[in-house]
Amino acid sequence: MSRLPATPEPEPFDDKDTRPRPVEDMTHADDLLLAREALSGSAFARKRFAERMRCVPRYLCVLNGRMGRPFQDHELEDLAQETLIEIWRRLDSYAGLASMPTWAYRFCQQVLSSRLRSRQRRPPSLELSDADPIPAPSRTSLDHEHVHNALDRLRQRDADIIRLKHFEQLTFEEIAARLGMPSSTAKADYQRALERLRELLGTWHKEGDGWTR
Amino acid sequence: MDPMKPNRGGDELERMLDELGKLEREERRAGEELPDAPGLRNVERVLEDVWAEEPQQASPRRTWIYWGALAAAAAALIAWVLLHQPTPPAMNGTTGEMLNDGVFRVLHPASLEASWPDRIQWSGPEGVTYSVRVVEEQPAGAERVLLGPQQVRGFELPLSAETTRTWPKRVRVDVEYRRKDGRQVPPKSDWWELAH
């Protein structure tokens, strides 16, 4: 996500502060500052960032359950590590539009889906028995991944507006405030973004239980 | 659900996005309520490992110290260079010490009172061998060689008192050299005469 100016600036993190705000009470602006401070090397901010990222293994666990448990626990541990590294590598793109856990959730979805796709492309292993088949992903998860892929193909601003509207349930006034624009512009931009998403999804079609191009 | 289908009582795509958003919120909430998950205990360690592999980033204060030290070192180096510039070769020309400016000529001694100088000096191109000789001019264009010719790869020829002891009061110093392309450069001459 691109950095946007509408987020109010909170007080800087202070490692001498004896009463730090609990991570669950942090606002988006807090998260944005936390990201900046962590990237700049603040040990205190990095500690708080690590606390904030404890959601990652939990999200992966829930997503794995929704997909029909294709991954075992040791594989989920690997995926958690991979996701955390990817989140840290991309942290400079975090713009504070959504909370940091919400932002991290998308990485969990992407890493999990990517690993699942690569597993499905692999030839069947002789080590796998009939008693331990790879569960097929549910129809719902495929549809969701399809929409998420389409969202990822949109321009950043378009995807931001759609996510803020439908995933964060913000009103156009709230979206406008967060993106630093008039609400009429937010509404018009949203309609355009929706049309682009519709066009993108239109290049795909349903085939059986899944979507293909 | 086909997003390409025409709307019937509302936009299907928007409804699908709402469903997706709702599902995600439920999944996030469910995740946040999980007491444990595979890899949960390793979150800090994984991130600390990543941070440990990063090149150390300098704090703003350390950055200022670094640049300050660099500026001081640069200033010290410049000062040292200015104070230790190579001393130009001393040549006793008519106006005192001179730099070799590359112009081929014999330098006239600063003082010729009662004794000959202790060296013959000249300027000219570097990297060539000069031929130096001292003669006494005689009537009818004749001359008597007092010294040389001596081959010198430099810009001066020392003169001992033993050498100059027998010289007359007036002598001519000739210096010549061969260019790198082989051509002989005509000699430059300077006439020295003792006052007493």
Side-chain angles (χ1 to χ4, degrees):
Chain A
M1 290 186 191
S2 56
R3 290 191 183 282
L4 296 163
T7 310
E9 289 290 335
E11 291 298 313
F13 284 96
D14 183 359
D15 52 9
K16 296 180 183 64
D17 185 356
T18 55
R19 292 175 301 149
R21 188 178 301 173
V23 288
E24 59 271 22
D25 292 343
M26 289 176 71
T27 65
H28 300 173
D30 288 331
D31 275 338
L32 182 57
L33 186 65
L34 175 66
R36 288 174 180 168
E37 297 277 318
L39 284 170
S40 72
S42 159
F44 180 72
R46 286 186 171 190
K47 189 179 169 196
R48 302 260 290 172
F49 173 75
E51 286 175 43
R52 206 81 172 113
M53 288 299 104
R54 289 175 69 81
C55 61
V56 167
R58 291 180 167 121
Y59 288 162
L60 287 170
C61 191
V62 169
L63 286 167
N64 188 47
R66 192 246 289 166
M67 289 178 168
R69 301 198 179 280
F71 298 106
Q72 297 176 4
D73 283 2
H74 70 277
E75 292 172 304
L76 282 179
E77 284 190 26
D78 288 347
L79 285 167
Q81 179 169 335
E82 188 180 325
T83 310
L84 287 166
I85 292 170
E86 183 65 9
I87 286 172
W88 175 254
R89 199 173 64 77
R90 301 274 302 280
L91 187 59
D92 60 348
S93 68
Y94 174 64
L97 293 181
S99 71
M100 198 177 276
T102 304
W103 185 71
Y105 180 83
R106 279 298 297 140
F107 284 88
C108 295
Q109 286 178 317
Q110 285 169 355
V111 170
L112 210 61
S113 299
S114 167
R115 181 70 71 89
L116 194 59
R117 277 196 301 273
S118 66
R119 172 185 277 194
Q120 286 165 345
R121 279 197 296 268
R122 278 207 307 255
S125 167
L126 294 174
E127 295 170 5
L128 288 174
S129 67
D130 290 342
D132 186 24
I134 299 171
S138 68
R139 158 75 190 282
T140 311
S141 68
L142 282 177
D143 282 356
H144 290 178
E145 188 188 344
H146 171 62
V147 176
H148 279 302
N149 286 340
L151 279 171
D152 288 341
R153 286 163 178 263
L154 284 180
R155 288 191 320 185
Q156 190 65 57
R157 174 58 69 97
D158 292 345
D160 287 345
I161 289 181
I162 287 178
R163 286 198 169 104
L164 289 172
K165 179 78 172 67
H166 293 283
F167 293 30
E168 301 285 307
Q169 291 187 298
L170 299 188
T171 64
F172 285 120
E173 285 72 25
E174 290 167 328
I175 292 172
R178 202 167 286 188
L179 297 181
M181 59 170 60
S183 59
S184 56
T185 306
K187 196 167 185 176
D189 285 359
Y190 166 75
Q191 292 299 338
R192 267 196 296 274
L194 206 59
E195 282 310 307
R196 289 189 187 112
L197 182 64
R198 200 192 314 277
E199 286 166 14
L200 209 51
L201 288 165
T203 64
W204 295 59
H205 63 276
K206 280 184 185 174
E207 194 171 89
D209 281 345
W211 294 76
T212 56
R213 297 188 76 170
Chain B
M1 196 179 317
D2 188 344
M4 292 302 289
K5 279 183 182 172
N7 294 347
R8 285 182 304 181
D11 192 303
E12 290 190 6
L13 178 57
E14 285 185 285
R15 276 212 299 274
M16 186 164 72
L17 287 167
D18 279 336
E19 283 173 18
L20 199 56
K22 184 183 173 193
L23 181 69
E24 282 203 8
R25 286 190 298 280
E26 287 170 359
E27 284 178 343
R28 286 204 306 272
R29 199 173 305 119
E32 281 148 19
E33 288 169 2
L34 276 183
D36 197 11
L40 183 61
R41 291 169 200 168
N42 298 332
V43 170
E44 284 81 5
R45 184 188 55 76
V46 168
L47 289 170
E48 280 165 9
D49 286 351
V50 173
W51 297 330
E53 288 170 10
E54 285 181 341
Q56 289 295 312
Q57 288 185 334
S59 67
R61 184 164 174 267
R62 281 172 57 195
T63 304
W64 278 111
I65 292 171
Y66 169 77
W67 285 110
L70 197 64
L77 182 65
I78 291 168
W80 187 89
V81 168
L82 290 175
L83 291 172
H84 292 82
Q85 281 192 4
T87 306
M91 295 184 188
N92 295 323
T94 50
T95 55
E97 290 187 348
M98 296 178 66
L99 287 172
N100 179 13
D101 55 7
V103 178
F104 180 38
R105 67 184 187 278
V106 180
L107 300 181
H108 195 79
S111 171
L112 279 173
E113 292 296 320
S115 62
W116 298 113
D118 61 355
R119 68 195 64 188
I120 299 169
Q121 292 181 300
W122 59 94
S123 70
E126 292 190 1
V128 297
T129 300
Y130 293 89
S131 176
V132 184
R133 68 174 192 159
V134 180
V135 299
E136 178 190 18
E137 292 181 338
Q138 294 186 331
E143 56 189 32
R144 178 170 69 97
V145 176
L146 302 172
L147 174 69
Q150 289 200 11
Q151 307 301 312
V152 179
R153 199 168 177 83
F155 298 101
E156 67 175 38
L157 175 66
L159 295 173
S160 67
E162 184 64 29
T163 302
T164 59
R165 187 172 55 83
T166 58
W167 286 6
K169 279 193 169 184
R170 177 184 166 88
V171 298
R172 191 185 80 221
V173 179
D174 295 336
V175 179
E176 63 183 354
Y177 71 96
R178 191 179 295 278
R179 289 177 13 162
K180 288 177 182 173
D181 60 7
R183 287 172 55 193
Q184 186 70 32
V185 175
K188 295 288 183 183
S189 301
D190 192 35
W191 285 263
W192 294 358
E193 189 169 5
L194 293 177
H196 303 288

